[in-house]
Amino acid sequence: VSTLTAWTAVAVCNAVERVCGVRPGIKWPNDVILDGRKLCGILTELELEAETAALRHVVVGVGINLTQTAADFGPEVAPVAVSLAQALGRAPRRAEMAAAVRAALDAAFPAERAAWLERYRADCLTLGRTVRLLRAGEEEEAFAEAVDDAFALVVRRADGSREAVSSGEVSVRGLLGYV
């Protein structure tokens, strides 16, 4: 379940490339980026059974900006968000993009995990950049070196130590224009 968001991000990149002919990147762990701005956000929610902690269901929300203009985003969001219409001069049909995302998701689950992980790593724009680790009210800068086999971000601290962190422990704000 923890890797579902990452798999979905690759599927969205595949769908955008198939429909629009351009391949966006991924800002770890769940934003799809085009031209240095956020094209899509992905949110994965799950419900566990209270007594057994067994997974009951998972819902993945995918929001792709198709037709928005800068005015639609507003002055605070416009500098960091982009739609396909803005980036390409035209927007694909919603039904076409939805079908492409569904097809890409359908292709994801029988796919070999190692190949999907390599595609995620290749699309990940966070690697090679400075990130901030956030823990118990403290903040520390680290360098994003890799994505491990569980899609966690492997960072190197100033003291040279390495650690795999989850999305709740790291901020990539400031990356690619995000404030």
Side-chain angles (χ1 to χ4, degrees), residues 4 9 11 15 25 44 58 62 71 75 80 82 88 114 117 127 134 150 153 157 161 164:
L4 186 57
T44 307
V58 176
V62 176
V80 296
V82 69
L88 305 174
L117 178 60
L127 299 179
L134 308 171
L153 188 65
R157 292 192 172 98
S161 63

Side-chain angles (χ1 to χ4, degrees), residues 8-172:
T8 301
V10 172
V12 169
C13 290
N14 289 347
V16 170
E17 183 176 38
R18 180 172 158 235
V19 172
C20 302
V22 297
R23 185 160 192 97
I26 301 166
K27 185 182 90 168
W28 182 91
N30 63 337
D31 287 343
V32 176
I33 306 296
L34 184 63
D35 294 339
R37 297 187 290 168
K38 184 174 177 176
L39 175 67
C40 171
I42 299 165
L43 180 62
T44 307
E45 296 284 336
L46 61 91
E47 182 178 325
L48 301 177
E49 209 287 321
E51 292 181 19
T52 65
L55 179 65
R56 294 187 68 174
H57 64 265
V58 176
V59 177
V60 179
V62 176
I64 303 172
N65 299 326
L66 292 179
T67 62
Q68 293 84 350
T69 66
D72 294 326
F73 290 125
E76 291 182 12
V77 176
V80 296
V82 69
S83 69
L84 288 170
Q86 288 175 298
L88 305 174
R90 63 170 179 78
R93 292 182 314 110
R94 281 180 173 78
E96 182 182 16
M97 184 56 68
V101 169
R102 180 171 178 191
L105 286 168
D106 284 347
F109 298 104
E112 182 182 317
R113 180 183 172 87
W116 208 257
L117 178 60
E118 282 309 307
R119 182 74 256 177
Y120 184 89
R121 288 172 174 153
D123 288 339
C124 187
L125 302 171
T126 308
L127 299 179
R129 298 183 182 267
T130 300
V131 297
R132 288 188 295 278
L133 302 179
L134 308 171
R135 290 197 179 108
E138 294 184 19
E139 195 172 305
E140 172 188 4
E141 284 195 350
F143 185 76
E145 288 191 330
V147 173
D148 73 9
D149 291 348
F151 294 92
L153 188 65
V154 178
V155 298
R156 182 177 22 89
R157 292 192 172 98
D159 67 5
S161 63
R162 296 177 80 223
E163 178 183 2
V165 295
S166 67
S167 60
E169 303 170 294
V170 67
S171 171
V172 290

